[in-house]
């Protein structure tokens, strides 16, 4: 039976680490990936729905098709992939020392209808901020450019699309408990792909190329980057969209139902790691600390 099985454990003592550490990590990571996939598409699609109220639901598009199709492939794929593979809330040793953490998966605290609905509500809120702020700042009879001209629909759509990418990738960063160089690298790669694709479509006509979307986005990238209001709107939208997540996480860490064991285990591990780093720097650091304490 062991030779015919898909997975085999040679000794029962291996089950403890397999379940309490790797199994719980995987349960948490997969749950994050599942709800994030729904969330990030809500943030991307809803701005087009909001546009329908101003276009009489004529079917007018907000995004260029080529950029829109690359959303799940190039611009938001890599950061969540790293979270789904590498993220760890606590170390394996702390997971084994705190077996009650395993119960959170059994109690559906990582993935449930309630958790999914909270992510969807957050996605609706962020989609509204991402759409309406640029729409009224750059369109709708406003004059955001130094030369006195207003932005057309495709420029507004490009700004909204950029903000969508920044916000959803920032959400991955907030949800990551184990941030590594791979996390920062692939977030940079995702934004780099947007810059590259926008540059190609923006300058395609000047380079004698005829690409899908090059007419709509002709020269738009440099216009966006040279407009001061673009950077102000980006700062405001990203801060407003992600501030709710920061406040909610602070509330849950201080007074939420996971505070008793889950966040307490995280805090204990951080304190232990800080103590190890302080002692590993040598005797001088410890001597200075003792002197300060003695004073």
């Amino acid at each position: 039976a062991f030779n015919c099985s898909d997975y085999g454990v040679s000794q029962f003592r291996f089950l403890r680490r397999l379940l309490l550490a790797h199994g719980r990590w995987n349960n948490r990571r997969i749950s994050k990936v599942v709800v994030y996939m729904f969330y990030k598409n809500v943030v991307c699609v809803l701005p087009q729905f909001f546009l329908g109220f101003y276009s009489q639901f004529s079917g007018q598009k907000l995004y260029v098709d080529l950029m829109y199709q690359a959303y799940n492939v190039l611009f938001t794929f890599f950061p969540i992939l790293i979270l789904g593979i590498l993220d760890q809330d606590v170390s394996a040793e702390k997971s084994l020392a705190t077996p009650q953490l395993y119960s959170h998966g059994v109690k559906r605290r990582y993935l449930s209808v309630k958790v999914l609905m909270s992510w969807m509500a957050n996605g609706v809120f962020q989609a509204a901020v991402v759409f309406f702020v640029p729409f009224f700042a750059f369109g709708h009879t406003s004059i955001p450019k130094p030369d006195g001209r207003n932005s057309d629909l495709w420029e507004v759509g490009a700004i909204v699309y950029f903000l969508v990418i920044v916000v959803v990738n920032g959400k991955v960063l907030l949800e990551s408990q184990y941030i590594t160089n791979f996390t920062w690298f692939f977030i940079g790669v995702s934004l780099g792909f947007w810059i590259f694709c926008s540059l190609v479509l923006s300058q395609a006509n000047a380079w004698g190329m005829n690409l899908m979307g090059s007419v709509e986005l002709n020269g738009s990238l440099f216009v966006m980057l040279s407009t001061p209001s673009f950077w102000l709107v980006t700062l405001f939208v990203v801060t407003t969209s992600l501030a709710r997540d920061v406040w909610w996480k602070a509330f849950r860490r201080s007074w939420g139902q996971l505070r008793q064991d889950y966040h307490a285990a995280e805090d204990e591990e951080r304190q232990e790691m800080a103590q190890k780093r302080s002692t590993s720097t040598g005797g001088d650091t410890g001597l200075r600390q003792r002197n300060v304490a003695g004073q």
Side-chain angles (χ1 to χ4, degrees):
F2 182 85
N3 293 331
C4 296
S5 62
D6 294 328
Y7 300 94
V9 180
S10 60
Q11 300 181 31
F12 281 106
R13 64 185 180 92
F14 296 153
L15 284 174
R16 184 168 180 265
R17 187 179 184 91
L18 182 63
L19 291 176
L20 298 182
H22 297 284
R24 192 185 64 82
W25 284 342
N26 187 67
N27 186 6
R28 178 181 173 274
R29 290 191 294 241
I30 292 300
S31 300
K32 292 285 186 182
V33 171
V34 170
V35 294
Y36 178 82
M37 289 300 177
F38 288 97
Y39 151 82
K40 73 185 182 77
N41 285 288
V42 166
V43 178
C44 182
V45 172
L46 274 185
Q48 295 197 110
F49 173 74
F50 295 148
L51 179 65
F53 290 98
Y54 296 92
S55 64
Q56 304 299 320
F57 291 96
S58 61
Q60 173 62 49
K61 298 177 182 179
L62 182 62
Y63 310 133
V64 173
D65 286 337
L66 188 61
M67 298 289 285
Y68 188 42
Q69 296 302 321
Y71 179 73
N72 289 312
V73 180
L74 297 178
F75 307 137
T76 61
F77 171 73
F78 298 103
I80 190 60
L81 177 66
I82 296 302
L83 185 148
I85 296 175
L86 300 179
D87 197 48
Q88 301 175 11
D89 50 354
V90 295
S91 64
E93 290 74 16
K94 180 60 68 172
S95 297
L96 297 176
T98 318
Q100 59 266 30
L101 296 178
Y102 185 80
S103 64
H104 295 306
V106 180
K107 296 177 181 178
R108 297 178 177 270
R109 291 180 177 174
Y110 297 136
L111 182 61
S112 64
V113 175
K114 180 181 178 181
V115 174
L116 180 61
M117 290 300 101
S118 66
W119 278 71
M120 295 301 98
N122 188 34
V124 172
F125 164 73
Q126 293 182 351
V129 175
V130 163
F131 172 76
F132 286 106
V133 174
F135 183 77
F136 286 101
F138 291 94
H140 209 267
T141 70
S142 63
I143 308 296
K145 299 180 182 179
D147 57 3
R149 296 187 298 110
N150 62 345
S151 301
D152 59 25
L153 177 63
W154 296 112
E155 289 182 2
V156 174
I159 295 172
V160 171
Y161 192 69
F162 168 73
L163 294 175
V164 168
I165 294 173
V166 173
V167 168
V168 298
N169 282 310
K171 177 67 172 176
V172 174
L173 194 62
L174 290 178
E175 293 297 325
S176 299
Q177 297 285 347
Y178 186 61
I179 300 177
T180 65
N181 292 332
F182 289 105
T183 307
W184 294 108
F185 174 75
F186 283 106
I187 287 179
V189 167
S190 299
L191 297 178
F193 273 127
W194 177 86
I195 294 174
F196 174 76
C197 294
S198 299
L199 177 63
V200 172
L201 293 179
S202 178
Q203 298 301 114
N205 290 339
W207 296 340
M209 302 169 59
N210 186 14
L211 300 177
M212 180 186 301
S214 60
V215 176
E216 293 85 350
L217 297 181
N218 184 30
S220 61
L221 179 62
F222 294 105
V223 173
M224 290 166 49
L225 299 180
S226 61
T227 304
S229 55
F230 167 76
W231 299 104
L232 292 176
V233 167
T234 298
L235 179 62
F236 177 80
V237 169
V238 174
T239 303
T240 305
S241 299
L242 298 179
R244 192 218 67 89
D245 296 90
V246 176
W247 294 337
W248 177 243
K249 288 180 179 297
F251 172 80
R252 293 184 64 189
R253 178 171 290 275
S254 300
W255 297 286
Q257 61 179 351
L258 302 180
R259 173 67 184 134
Q260 184 175 0
D261 48 13
Y262 184 75
H263 293 309
E266 290 182 329
D267 295 339
E268 290 176 2
E269 185 174 36
R270 289 190 178 94
Q271 292 176 3
E272 292 173 359
M273 294 176 62
Q275 292 176 358
K276 290 180 181 180
R277 284 195 294 265
S278 63
T279 56
S280 63
T281 55
D284 293 340
T285 303
L287 180 60
R288 286 195 297 269
Q289 291 177 348
R290 286 193 294 272
N291 288 336
V292 172
Q295 293 176 355

